[in-house]
Amino acid sequence: MWRRMALVIGCAVLAGLAAASWIRVHEVAGERYIMTSERLAGSAQSFARELHGRLESADALVRYLSATDAGVNGSLLQDRMLTAEAFHGVVVLPYPELPADAGNPADPTTRLTGLSADDRLRLQGGQSLIRALTPATGGTVLYLLHQVNSSSTPRLGLFEIDPGWLWQGAADLPRQQSMIVIDTADHLLFEGSALPPEIARMVARTPAERPTLSGQPLLRDWQQNGVAWRGAVVGLDTRIGRLSGPVWSIAVYGQLASLPVAVRSITDDLLPLLLLAAAAVALATWYLCGCWQRPLLRLEAALQALRQGQFRRVNLSGSTDTPRAIAQSFNLAIIGLESRYGAQELLSEIDRLLLEASDLEQSIEPILLRVCTVTEAQVAAMALLDRDAPAHARSFMAGCDGAICPVTRINLEPETTLALQDAPQGLLVPAHQLDRYGFLQALRERGAEICHVWPILAGSEVAGMLSVGYRGSMEPSAQLLRYGAQCAARLQIALSNRDTDARLYHQAHFDSLTSLPNRVLFRDRLSQELAGVGSGSPGGALLYVDLDHFKRVNDTVGHGAGDQLLTIIAQRLRSCVKDGDTVARLGGDEFTVILRQVPSAEAASEIAQRIIDALQRPVNIGGRDHQVRASIGITRFPDDGSNIDELLRNADLAMYQAKDSGRSCAVFFDRKMARASVQLAESGLFRAVRRREFALYYQPQFALQNGELVAMEALVRWQHPREGLRFPKDFVPAAEQSGLMVEIGTWVLESACRQLMLWREEGIAPGRLALNVSLQQLRASDFVQLLDQTLERAGLPPQILELEVTEAVFADEDARVALRKVAALGVRVALDDFGTGYSSLNHLRQQPVDAIKIDRCFMSEVPDNYQATTLLATIIDMAHALGKQVIAEGVETLPQLDLLRQRGCDIAQGFVLARPLQVADATERLAQRSASTALLRRAG
Ligand code: C2E
Ligand code: MG
Ligand code: MG
């Protein structure tokens, strides 16, 4: 590098020097030219003046010498002339007789004295004439002609001027100068050095153009044998005083200095200058290399790295100011480039995420992490407004530390959406205005002190918003905000394709039949409410609405009608609550209602009652009125609980309590229910009820008289998905305690009746079907109606059914009333587990009991134990005495069977005869029985 630098600097310096020298040479040449001109002019002028003076003196001398008699032939005059150094001599001649033109032109005297009439007059007037004569021997002789008196006769005196005297000044000219004097008649009067004739003529003609002695001489240039000459020409008019003559041209000339001469004149100065320049070049090269080589090499390396996509800074801390400044500018440019490159990469990543995501929501969180990075924000959040309720939104949030926050539900003030609609470029929300926007609260909690929010529009509507939050009060730079806006624009494009997403969203969040929010959205909304209630606002209430006997509608008029009914029910439910409250369908005939900001329990109760009333109004479907009743469980939040599952459990429990309390009513949750339900919840019975994880087994009962299968008892089993078959003792007490038994009992009743109907259709039905009914079922207000409708639907005669109740029902007034109604329907009643409880014989007498079932515990000791055997026999007798049929259960041995037959027991049920059977086995058993009966009849 240093070689190139030295070369460049050297060339630059040399070029400068050459230019300066060239100018200098020309200056010198010019100066010399002027100087030569001035010198020549000065010489010419001074010589002309000198000549002028000499001619004047010569004339005066002639006049003096001619003033006295010249003597014969001028002898006296010649004597006087001896001392006059200006003249060589004098010739005195008579005036020529002939006119000037008549003389012999070849005779020099004739030529010299050839006077014109004017000349003669001038001479006679005492004037002198100057005449030049060119003798045959060459050269030019000058004469002064003057009239002299020779013995009183006018004669013509020819005074020959001494050239040595006249031209003596020419010897004083400087060495380089030469001189020539020519008169207008082309007489070469004096010639210092020979000049070509044409140049001599040019010189002679010059004064004719401007004959002057006093003015500036005229300058003339010419070339002679390749040499430049310059001459200064002065015209000398020889009419001086009484002297008369032609104009003389006096030219002083000399060679002009040529360029090489000028160059030579500066050569001496040039050499030290060149040495100085070389030293300066070396110094400058050394200095510049020192300053620039290292920085340039580093810059080059950084640029090469940049080409490979690496953004490397240059450190030139030790360098001089300029490279350091360049490095700083370079580094700033690199930082800018790096930031832009990084931003573009992040934006591309966002594009990729948006393109790859089948569901926008799945990609929001990774996108937000990138939004944080590209906008250098502390935290970024995106809110997606619910389509059906723009006041609600789901908020996704991510922090710059990579933290992804759980999705929350937020409420949006209408002003916020309006403000954003009018500000497509986004809103800057400074610290003191953060309070105004509730949805920015979450960003604030994560340390944001200043936020920027961009709307995400779908058409002209706000479909969402992108917010970023910064620590400190410094507003983010315009560039960062541009990146934010670009992110928002990308999300907007993604959202504009959201019709498909919306459909998917709708499918995922709304019930397809009723268009109500489904379980997912319900949980979302409830969690949103729970998040909002802590801050001093009144809590809300969750209502669990379960339709009583909805299934019957399905069974009687079909699923299409059932769907219609559910749609109408959904509309009625919606109409009972205000905007902002949520009515959701969890599935089947279960609905939930989230009441926002309920000031008191009474208010919740009023709304629940409004719902019950609204649902009770008959619904006409297919020309038939259906009456739907609802049982509602109410739980309040945050008083009763603060998490979704807990509240759902509470409301569910309360709802079962409502069913237990006779249906068509609303019951508030209280803690006692929760305690009772803990075991239940753990047992998974709630789920079992919902999923109908039950099955019925059928145990045959035989007439002891003839051994005929006369009845079947339906016994419920829980088909636990993991633990297998569970027996009533494991879940019935808990189900009874929680109220779930009502639901289970209804299912048992309907399933058993349907099965009986099928057996009847096959012609193999038993004479009676026994069903166990718990106290809670009997107490439910609509039990009898349910029983009646079920029988009717299955087309069964009431007496084919025998309800087994325990003695506990007699202690309950409602149950007793219901029992009477059951009996009034024609349905048989059997007193189950007789002998284990408070066996009041009076009850037996008063209550509509058709049969007693002697409990298994009486069987275990018979026939071996006498007292037990006696007691059994007494019970049979007493029952018969009261007109009741006697059924013995838990008969396990043949002796027991024999004893029962001997004592007149009517019917026996027990393992020795038949175990409880699955439907298929029971059906087979019934079919065999029918076949053998038919055989016996035919044989009989
Ligand atoms: P339960 O009504 O007295 O039913 C007779 C029980 O005795 C049945 O037990 C049956 O399997 C059992 N058993 C029958 N023969 C024998 C025998 O020879 N030896 C022994 N050791 N046991 C015998 P399971 O099915 O476990 O039912 C127990 C109780 O659960 C029933 O007693 C009844 O009170 C209740 N239960 C059963 N199904 C229902 C129902 O659908 N609703 C209601 N409310 N209670 C039911
Ligand atoms: Mg029973
Ligand atoms: Mg029993």
Side-chain angles (χ1 to χ4, degrees):
M1 185 183 128
W2 64 268
R3 271 196 222 108
R4 255 175 293 156
M5 206 173 262
L7 191 70
V8 170
I9 297 171
C11 285
V13 169
L14 278 179
L17 265 178
S21 304
W22 180 253
I23 292 165
R24 184 69 199 130
V25 162
H26 280 269
E27 270 177 15
V28 167
E31 280 166 16
R32 288 193 167 231
Y33 181 80
I34 292 165
M35 218 160 65
T36 308
S37 301
E38 284 172 354
R39 280 187 194 148
L40 290 171
S43 298
Q45 260 178 337
S46 70
F47 190 77
R49 278 194 208 98
E50 200 178 311
L51 210 54
H52 184 275
R54 287 219 168 84
L55 287 174
E56 208 170 26
S57 308
D59 182 44
L61 186 61
V62 164
R63 218 170 282 287
Y64 168 72
L65 293 172
S66 306
T68 52
D69 189 27
V72 179
N73 298 329
S75 54
L76 291 172
L77 183 61
Q78 281 168 350
D79 289 344
R80 287 199 294 273
M81 284 287 290
L82 290 174
T83 53
E85 59 171 340
F87 298 101
H88 264 313
V90 64
V91 179
V92 176
L93 296 171
Y95 272 109
E97 294 296 329
L98 294 171
D101 52 349
N104 181 5
D107 177 13
T109 311
T110 307
R111 274 190 280 134
L112 184 66
T113 57
L115 299 173
S116 65
D118 282 350
D119 292 342
R120 194 181 285 263
L121 281 172
R122 278 193 196 103
L123 288 168
Q124 286 167 355
Q127 288 187 15
S128 304
L129 297 178
I130 294 178
R131 283 286 187 275
L133 180 69
T134 308
T137 51
T140 303
V141 182
L142 275 170
Y143 294 92
L144 261 183
L145 274 60
H146 196 78
Q147 183 172 287
V148 296
N149 287 317
S150 179
S151 308
S152 302
T153 306
R155 294 278 193 273
L156 187 61
L158 278 72
F159 296 82
E160 185 185 346
I161 300 169
D162 181 2
W165 172 79
L166 185 65
W167 310 115
Q168 63 186 308
D172 299 334
L173 283 174
R175 192 164 45 88
Q176 304 90 344
Q177 294 182 0
S178 200
M179 191 176 67
I180 183 170
V181 182
I182 305 173
D183 69 4
T184 42
D186 277 352
H187 292 111
L188 184 61
L189 306 180
F190 177 82
E191 188 178 35
S193 62
L195 273 179
E198 68 277 6
I199 293 170
R201 262 199 301 283
M202 177 193 70
V203 170
R205 253 179 251 119
T206 300
E209 295 169 15
R210 189 150 53 99
T212 173
L213 187 62
S214 55
Q216 280 294 316
L218 291 164
L219 296 167
R220 286 289 181 269
D221 293 315
W222 67 91
Q223 292 281 330
Q224 189 182 334
N225 300 330
V227 177
W229 291 81
R230 190 164 178 76
V233 186
V234 174
L236 174 64
D237 194 347
T238 53
R239 286 172 299 179
I240 305 164
R242 295 179 67 78
L243 188 63
S244 180
V247 174
W248 289 2
S249 288
I250 303 156
V252 177
Y253 55 90
Q255 269 189 24
L256 282 175
S258 64
L259 215 54
V261 176
V263 170
R264 266 198 306 281
S265 73
I266 66 162
T267 318
D268 296 345
D269 302 339
L270 207 58
L271 194 65
L273 258 179
L274 275 174
L275 289 174
L276 201 68
V281 166
L283 203 67
T285 308
W286 173 78
Y287 174 74
L288 288 175
C289 280
C291 289
W292 287 100
Q293 192 168 23
R294 192 171 57 101
L296 285 176
L297 287 174
R298 289 196 182 172
L299 277 172
E300 190 190 11
L303 282 169
Q304 266 173 4
L306 183 64
R307 267 208 300 275
Q308 287 156 11
Q310 297 165 12
F311 296 90
R312 197 185 290 166
R313 314 279 190 281
V314 177
N315 180 12
L316 294 179
S317 48
S319 303
T320 52
D321 287 351
T322 314
R324 206 168 45 235
I326 289 174
Q328 276 167 3
S329 303
F330 179 85
N331 288 344
L332 282 176
I334 284 284
I335 289 166
L337 271 176
E338 187 176 23
S339 135
R340 270 158 210 239
Y341 184 79
Q344 285 310 326
E345 282 211 326
L346 284 165
L347 288 171
S348 308
E349 274 184 43
I350 291 176
D351 285 342
R352 185 179 51 73
L353 284 167
L354 285 171
L355 284 171
E356 283 176 3
S358 55
D359 176 10
L360 172 67
E361 289 180 25
Q362 282 173 1
S363 56
I364 287 181
E365 278 151 358
I367 286 174
L368 285 178
L369 287 175
R370 284 158 181 85
V371 171
C372 264
T373 315
V374 77
T375 58
E376 294 176 16
Q378 190 68 29
V379 57
M382 179 180 176
L384 281 177
L385 276 61
D386 286 358
R387 292 216 151 194
D388 63 320
H392 298 286
R394 275 159 308 130
S395 177
F396 302 76
M397 191 159 71
C400 62
D401 50 1
I404 290 175
C405 310
V407 181
T408 54
R409 291 207 63 88
I410 55 172
N411 297 320
L412 293 171
E413 304 82 5
E415 310 86 66
T416 305
T417 352
L418 283 175
L420 281 169
Q421 212 164 355
D422 292 342
Q425 74 291 350
L427 283 178
L428 187 75
V429 186
H432 66 276
Q433 285 184 6
L434 283 178
D435 286 344
R436 280 177 47 190
Y437 301 96
F439 71 96
L440 294 176
Q441 184 62 31
L443 279 83
R444 221 171 128 191
E445 281 164 12
R446 291 193 59 89
E449 291 169 60
I450 185 165
C451 292
H452 199 100
V453 188
W454 294 271
I456 298 171
L457 299 170
S460 58
E461 299 292 316
V462 176
M465 57 193 85
L466 177 69
S467 324
V468 291
Y470 294 88
R471 280 225 171 99
S473 55
M474 272 275 288
E475 283 185 21
S477 72
Q479 182 61 45
L480 293 183
L481 292 183
R482 259 198 301 281
Y483 290 145
Q486 285 178 24
C487 294
R490 281 165 163 76
L491 288 166
Q492 187 162 314
I493 292 167
L495 273 188
S496 69
N497 298 328
R498 209 179 154 211
D499 275 351
T500 328
D501 295 350
R503 220 173 40 245
L504 293 170
Y505 175 83
H506 203 269
Q507 281 169 8
H509 294 84
F510 289 87
D511 170 45
S512 57
L513 176 65
T514 60
S515 289
L516 289 177
N518 66 7
R519 185 180 291 273
V520 177
L521 188 53
F522 158 74
R523 292 181 74 91
D524 255 13
R525 296 256 172 99
L526 186 56
S527 73
Q528 182 187 349
E529 283 308 315
L530 288 172
V533 289
S535 51
S537 63
L542 171 65
L543 275 55
Y544 206 118
V545 181
D546 188 272
L547 303 184
D548 296 331
H549 314 312
F550 166 73
K551 205 165 171 304
R552 260 177 273 152
V553 179
N554 267 346
D555 292 345
T556 49
V557 283
H559 285 273
D563 287 352
Q564 271 185 45
L565 184 76
L566 282 174
T567 313
I568 293 167
I569 296 288
Q571 287 163 359
R572 289 191 184 174
L573 279 170
R574 214 21 292 162
S575 68
C576 291
V577 298
K578 62 180 193 304
D579 281 351
D581 291 342
T582 299
V583 176
R585 182 182 176 217
L586 300 193
D589 55 356
E590 294 169 60
F591 295 86
T592 49
V593 180
I594 303 169
L595 301 175
R596 300 180 67 202
Q597 303 186 343
V598 182
S600 61
E602 289 72 38
S605 180
E606 261 176 43
I607 296 168
Q609 194 52 51
R610 203 186 304 156
I611 291 172
I612 291 169
D613 294 345
L615 299 192
Q616 256 175 4
R617 291 201 313 272
V619 181
N620 191 291
I621 293 170
R624 186 172 160 180
D625 274 352
H626 296 269
Q627 198 171 31
V628 178
R629 293 189 175 170
S631 300
I632 300 179
I634 308 173
T635 185
R636 299 184 64 205
F637 52 86
D639 302 351
D640 293 343
S642 56
N643 85 49
I644 300 171
D645 290 322
E646 187 183 4
L647 285 172
L648 263 177
R649 211 162 37 240
N650 291 351
D652 204 16
L653 275 176
M655 186 272 288
Y656 278 111
Q657 202 67 49
K659 279 192 189 292
D660 202 18
S661 316
R663 300 177 185 257
S664 240
C665 62
V667 170
F668 275 89
F669 166 80
D670 74 45
R671 301 253 168 234
K672 276 183 254 158
M673 294 178 192
R675 276 194 292 277
S677 75
V678 169
Q679 189 193 346
L680 207 56
E682 283 167 2
S683 71
L685 198 53
F686 278 109
R687 191 202 56 232
V689 170
R690 275 203 194 96
R691 297 189 187 167
R692 307 283 187 237
E693 292 172 357
F694 297 104
L696 283 181
Y697 277 56
Y698 297 90
Q699 188 175 25
Q701 295 175 356
F702 297 89
L704 283 169
Q705 215 175 12
N706 55 15
E708 255 190 55
L709 192 161
V710 286
M712 287 280 198
E713 182 182 6
L715 295 163
V716 70
R717 300 285 182 267
W718 176 7
Q719 291 170 316
H720 197 284
R722 284 189 309 278
E723 295 165 18
L725 210 60
R726 281 183 155 194
F727 290 89
K729 68 175 172 43
D730 299 329
F731 63 90
V732 167
E736 286 179 335
Q737 207 179 359
S738 64
L740 277 176
M741 201 55 223
V742 179
E743 186 83 348
I744 299 170
T746 306
W747 178 84
V748 167
L749 172 66
E750 290 174 343
S751 300
C753 286
R754 203 178 312 121
Q755 188 57 55
L756 189 55
M757 186 183 75
L758 291 174
W759 283 335
R760 278 168 64 88
E761 282 169 7
E762 287 182 44
I764 56 171
R768 223 169 26 242
L769 180 72
L771 286 177
N772 295 284
V773 176
S774 64
L775 174 61
Q776 285 81 4
Q777 276 177 278
L778 270 179
R779 282 173 57 200
S781 61
D782 62 344
F783 176 74
V784 180
Q785 193 188 2
L786 170 73
L787 180 66
D788 190 23
Q789 286 175 351
T790 311
L791 285 171
E792 191 190 328
R793 233 183 1 260
L796 298 174
Q799 61 278 7
I800 201 167
L801 217 57
E802 184 172 75
L803 300 189
E804 296 185 7
V805 297
T806 56
E807 284 161 308
V809 299
F810 300 140
D812 188 283
E813 176 57 28
D814 290 346
R816 283 203 302 270
V817 172
L819 206 58
R820 273 198 290 276
K821 287 182 183 169
V822 168
L825 280 179
V827 172
R828 284 169 56 90
V829 175
L831 187 59
D832 204 352
D833 304 340
F834 186 82
T836 55
Y838 172 68
S839 306
S840 162
L841 291 175
N842 208 25
H843 279 151
L844 264 190
R845 193 174 56 85
Q846 290 171 351
Q847 298 307 323
V849 173
D850 298 290
I852 60 161
K853 289 188 80 175
I854 301 170
D855 193 71
R856 186 161 56 91
C857 64
F858 289 98
M859 290 294 130
S860 52
E861 294 183 53
V862 291
D864 303 334
N865 185 308
Y866 172 75
Q867 284 180 331
T869 307
T870 309
L871 187 56
L872 178 67
T874 309
I875 291 171
I876 294 169
D877 289 344
M878 262 181 2
H880 280 161
L882 289 169
K884 317 290 179 195
Q885 200 175 30
V886 179
I887 304 160
E889 59 180 345
V891 184
E892 292 181 344
T893 60
L894 285 174
Q896 287 170 350
L897 201 59
D898 283 345
L899 179 77
L900 288 168
R901 196 181 291 123
Q902 286 165 17
R903 298 294 175 178
C905 180
D906 303 301
I907 294 168
Q909 175 184 356
F911 293 170
V912 70
L913 297 165
R915 287 185 173 259
L917 304 169
Q918 288 186 35
V919 176
D921 296 335
T923 306
E924 197 180 336
R925 185 71 183 258
L926 285 170
Q928 284 171 3
R929 177 203 62 141
S930 301
S932 47
T933 309
L935 210 61
L936 281 170
R937 279 198 189 132
R938 234 179 292 149

